[in-house]
Amino acid sequence: MPSLSDRIRLLRGSVFAVSLSLAVAGAFGTNAFALSELQQIPGQPPQQQQSEQPASDQPPAEAEPEAEQSEPLQLPMPDPLIRRDATTTDTAEPPEEKQATQPETPVEVIYDIEKVPEPVRRMRELIVEAAASGDIERLRPLLGKGPTQTQVSVVDGDSDPVTTLRGLSGDSEGIEILAILLDVLATGFVRVDAGTPNETYVWPYFVEKSLDTLSPPEKVELLRIVTAGDFADMQEFGGYNFYRAGISPDGQWKFFVAGD
């Protein structure tokens, strides 16, 4: 009969053998399970076997084509606050201002008295001679009578023209008005209402020319007739408003007046 110590050794050996068997069986069992997944299982169709493969081993599915993107929705633009069509008047600039900005029609200024009809040249020469004499009465035969009487005032009246001119002068003899008449007839002149019954040769040409367009020499010519203060007042008024003289093509002295 074995002793107690021999039985303990046999018991320890049995426990070690069982533990070793379990460890070996666990190791090989795990590997067998892993290998069974890679090997084909007998009696099972290949397609079914492949479907049981892990998802990580399956080839990636082809990406479905993206749906064709539709164009973004186009919203209409809001109507403008100010419509500019054929039925709407442009209110940005009144018609009067547009006309004011249009270029001025060039004024033909005449200095050569030989370019006018002979009756005009003759009447102008007679007026200059009478005014230069210093005797205002020498203007009387040139002023006419009745319907052909020269207009010497913007106010219609039957007063004697010589008396009227003398009253307009700064002196009692009418010398100042004679000097003004000479200065006016010494400037350039213009032809107005050409080809009509009212055709007239008018001195000075400033009557028809915008004062804002005067050149420096023209301003000098104007200031031989008026003062700088008068010129400033005319610019504010909007045009020349001092004395002017007019002679018709047939030699009639039509007017010698001041004002508009």
Side-chain angles (χ1 to χ4, degrees):
M1 183 174 182
S3 61
L4 179 59
S5 61
D6 292 334
R7 283 185 289 180
I8 293 174
R9 282 196 297 270
L10 290 175
L11 181 58
R12 288 180 177 175
S14 298
V15 173
F16 177 77
V18 173
S19 299
L20 179 61
S21 298
L22 291 176
V24 172
F28 282 97
T30 302
N31 292 336
F33 178 77
L35 292 174
S36 65
E37 292 181 347
L38 299 177
Q39 295 176 356
Q40 180 176 350
I41 300 175
Q44 187 175 9
Q47 183 176 2
Q48 183 176 358
Q49 293 178 10
Q50 293 178 0
S51 62
E52 293 179 356
Q53 292 180 355
S56 59
D57 295 337
Q58 294 180 1
E62 295 183 0
E64 296 182 359
E66 297 182 359
E68 185 177 356
Q69 296 182 354
S70 59
E71 295 183 358
L73 180 61
Q74 298 292 333
L75 297 178
M77 296 299 293
D79 291 337
L81 296 179
I82 301 177
R83 294 182 178 272
R84 296 181 180 271
D85 50 28
T87 61
T88 303
T89 302
D90 186 1
T91 58
E93 182 180 7
E96 294 78 10
E97 295 182 6
K98 286 186 177 181
Q99 294 178 0
T101 58
Q102 293 179 353
E104 181 186 4
T105 303
V107 177
E108 181 183 2
V109 180
I110 308 172
Y111 286 92
D112 188 359
I113 194 61
E114 298 299 325
K115 292 184 178 181
V116 303
E118 193 278 332
V120 178
R121 296 198 304 269
R122 179 58 181 165
M123 175 55 73
R124 176 183 175 278
E125 182 180 354
L126 292 174
I127 296 173
V128 170
E129 289 178 353
S133 69
D135 184 1
I136 196 171
E137 284 293 334
R138 292 187 57 176
L139 293 179
R140 187 177 295 279
L142 306 177
L143 293 172
K145 296 180 180 180
T148 61
Q149 179 175 301
T150 304
Q151 180 184 0
V152 294
S153 174
V154 294
V155 180
D156 295 333
D158 297 330
S159 60
D160 177 64
V162 173
T163 302
T164 300
L165 290 175
R166 186 181 283 111
L168 293 173
S169 183
D171 62 294
S172 59
E173 298 179 3
I175 301 297
E176 183 187 46
I177 201 69
L178 295 177
I180 293 174
L181 180 56
L182 282 175
D183 288 339
V184 167
L185 293 176
T187 65
F189 55 98
V190 291
R191 181 188 181 191
V192 300
D193 297 328
T196 71
N198 295 324
E199 180 176 346
T200 307
Y201 292 88
V202 181
W203 288 258
Y205 63 89
F206 307 112
V207 174
E208 295 294 317
K209 192 174 179 66
S210 172
L211 299 183
D212 293 333
T213 63
L214 296 182
S215 64
E218 289 173 334
K219 291 179 181 179
V220 171
E221 191 172 10
L222 175 59
L223 292 180
R224 293 177 60 185
I225 304 173
V226 300
T227 65
D230 294 333
F231 180 34
D233 291 341
M234 289 179 187
Q235 287 181 305
E236 183 176 355
F237 173 75
Y240 177 87
N241 58 5
F242 196 54
Y243 282 96
R244 70 207 62 188
I247 303 175
S248 64
D250 60 0
Q252 178 188 347
W253 186 5
K254 298 183 67 174
F255 57 80
F256 177 56
V257 293
D260 184 32

